[in-house]
Structure formats: C-alpha cells, structure tokens
Amino acid sequence: MKAVSAAGDAEAVSGPAIDVRGLRKSFGTLEVLAGIDFSVARGEVVCVIGPSGSGKSTLLRCVNLLEEPTSGTVTVAGTEVTDPDVDIDKVRRRIGMVFQSFNLFPHLTVLENLTLPQRRVLGRDRAEAAGIARERLARVGLTDKESAYPAQLSGGQQQRVAIARALAMDPELMLFDEPTSALDPELVGDVLAVMRSLADEGMTMLVVTHEMSFAREVADRVVFMDGGVIVEEGAPEQVIGAPRHARTRSFLARLLTPATADLTEAAEAADGAGKRSGPV
C-alpha cells in the first residue's frame, strides 16, 4: 500500500478529488446507476469491482462527463462537472483516462501519439512535448518504442503507451476502465506494474478492474457494485478477504474459484429441488 505525501495530506483538507452524490443514470427505461454516493480522497486508490452490467464503467464515465448523468452531482477537485455552465474541457485536462481499448492513432508513431494531445490541448511546443513524452515513455518502460507504430506493438505495450499518453498531460487523477481486460494473460503483469508504481507515487486513481490481486495489494479501498448500487465498500482485506454481504461473497467465489462456485450452486439447487419434491 502506498504512502501519501505530506503535501498530499495538506491538499486533502480542501476536499476530495472526486465526490459523487445521488448519481443516477438511465438509458431509456433501463436505470444503470440507481443512486450512488461515494468519494475518493486525494492520493487515494479506489478499485471498483462487480459483475458485468453492474454500472462500474458508467460510473467512471460519469466522472468526466463522457456519460451525462440523469440526476445527481459529480465534483472533481472542487469543480462540479455536472454544473451546466462548467467548462468540461478545462476539467478534463486534470483527468487522465485509460480505456479497455487503447485508442491510439494507428497512423502516428508512439512519440506522435504522446505529443499531439500536449500540443493541441496544452499548447506545448514540439520540443517540450517530445521531451515530456520521452520521460513518460521511460516511466512505462518503452523508451525504445518511440518510433514504432501501434500495430507493431503487443497489446500490453499499447496499453502502456496509452498510460504514458495520459501521464504526459500531467493529470491530477487517473481513471482506469478495465485496463487489462483486452490483454492476453501474460501481458497483464507489465501494465499492472506501471499502475502499482503510480499508486506508490501518490497518484489519485479510480480503477474499474477484475484483477483481484491488484485490488487487494494496491487499493486503499474497494467498492463492490451490483445492480447500479454500491453493495459494499471498505478496505481490501475486508471486502475481498471477509465480505459482509452474501452478494459480494457469491461474486468473489465465482471470480476466484469458478469451478467450486459452480459445483456449490449446482448442489444447492439440487438440494432445494429435493426438499421441494419431498421424500420419494
């Protein structure tokens, strides 16, 4: 678990990095988020876990208004992003986001993928942007790939480039939406290692993930979502190690030991059927 710097502690008194209150999001008649309240402190790493369709990614996308909430408020570093008059582009400059897909420009080299956003959004000149890009590539272990094109990289390398691109914008916080879900298992470790190093440096991070070992080792807090609500949250050792809610226990059993969970559910179903039918 990372240590938060004294400077980070001083900043925290001015309010959380992310504050979500009464957040609801519907797509037509389908309510995906059904009233979310939570916050992320500055320098904190929060991992959001839960089954597919639980609203995890929608929650993440509402934080920087890639999805517009139906109701409720989202505040990032003291600025309410759900305010109709907010300059959302200005707020987004403070937020780095890494998606499941890498979203790299295929016709640009790695270096160009990192320098283009800096020049267009932050107004940096070519030399300054290139210098920062090379430093960020070094942080993710890809110094030797600056002239490569995305198609010449493995999935894990492309995801590390995407992280470096986000870091090149000097964000105050990072959002990760299942950053390893599209990777082959042997490529996951390198991406998680980069994320661990960011956590160790005190980066504020909100991470949607199915990597339980990462959540257990790196997160300050784990949030379990299901059905568009937060079912349980707390320290990793509590939520993952000793969950209080039956739904959390069921999810973790299926995720961590799927064969055992399937056999247990089958046995319980058979036992229930026997009790309903009575003695033969």
Side-chain angles (χ1 to χ4, degrees):
M1 199 90 56
K2 71 189 183 318
V4 180
S5 67
D9 288 337
E11 282 188 326
V13 299
S14 63
I18 302 171
D19 190 54
V20 176
R21 296 295 140 197
L23 182 65
R24 292 180 178 271
K25 175 62 182 178
S26 296
F27 296 96
T29 59
L30 177 64
E31 188 172 49
V32 179
L33 299 177
I36 301 292
D37 294 283
F38 89 113
S39 62
V40 179
R42 297 171 190 263
E44 186 179 25
V45 177
V46 175
C47 285
V48 183
I49 64 173
S52 297
S54 60
K56 309 182 302 296
S57 293
T58 301
L59 168 62
L60 203 70
R61 293 171 66 85
C62 283
V63 169
N64 62 358
L65 226 59
L66 291 177
E67 295 288 356
E68 187 170 346
T70 303
S71 63
T73 62
V74 178
T75 303
V76 176
T79 300
E80 184 189 332
V81 301
T82 43
D83 183 336
D85 296 324
V86 73
D87 183 347
I88 190 60
D89 291 332
K90 184 176 180 180
V91 176
R92 284 177 180 152
R93 292 172 195 168
R94 308 164 74 177
I95 306 171
M97 185 157 185
V98 178
F99 299 87
Q100 297 177 37
S101 55
F102 318 123
N103 292 344
L104 301 176
F105 293 112
H107 63 291
L108 299 181
T109 66
V110 166
L111 187 67
E112 290 167 340
N113 265 283
L114 267 68
T115 57
L116 182 64
Q118 296 182 65
R119 293 169 58 199
R120 289 194 174 178
V121 177
L122 301 181
R124 290 171 177 163
D125 63 36
R126 190 181 299 271
E128 181 185 14
I132 291 170
R134 291 188 173 102
E135 191 277 330
R136 302 301 188 267
L137 286 173
R139 286 182 67 180
V140 301
L142 292 175
T143 303
D144 60 334
K145 299 296 184 182
E146 69 171 62
S147 298
Y149 288 88
Q152 297 172 314
L153 305 178
S154 70
Q157 289 171 332
Q158 290 186 60
Q159 193 61 293
R160 283 188 282 157
V161 170
I163 294 173
R165 179 181 58 187
L167 293 175
M169 304 297 286
D170 295 327
E172 295 179 27
L173 61 104
M174 291 282 289
L175 308 178
F176 292 88
D177 186 7
E178 297 275 16
T180 61
S181 65
L183 303 180
D184 292 333
E186 65 269 22
L187 303 177
V188 169
D190 289 340
V191 174
L192 293 181
V194 171
M195 295 171 66
R196 283 188 180 93
S197 70
L198 292 176
D200 289 340
E201 294 166 9
M203 174 65 76
T204 304
M205 297 164 61
L206 180 59
V207 184
V208 171
T209 185
H210 61 277
E211 299 289 345
M212 292 302 105
S213 60
F214 175 84
R216 189 190 295 269
E217 296 167 15
V218 180
D220 297 298
R221 186 156 43 96
V222 173
V223 173
F224 173 66
M225 288 184 63
D226 189 33
V229 299
I230 293 175
V231 175
E232 185 168 1
E233 65 176 305
E237 57 268 24
Q238 182 262 301
V239 176
I240 299 176
R244 299 187 180 97
H245 292 264
R247 183 65 189 94
T248 315
R249 291 193 294 271
S250 173
F251 168 76
L252 290 170
R254 181 171 289 280
L255 188 69
L256 300 174
T257 54
T260 302
D262 289 343
L263 289 172
T264 300
E265 288 182 5
E268 290 175 348
D271 182 57
K275 289 177 179 177
R276 287 192 298 273
S277 63
V280 178

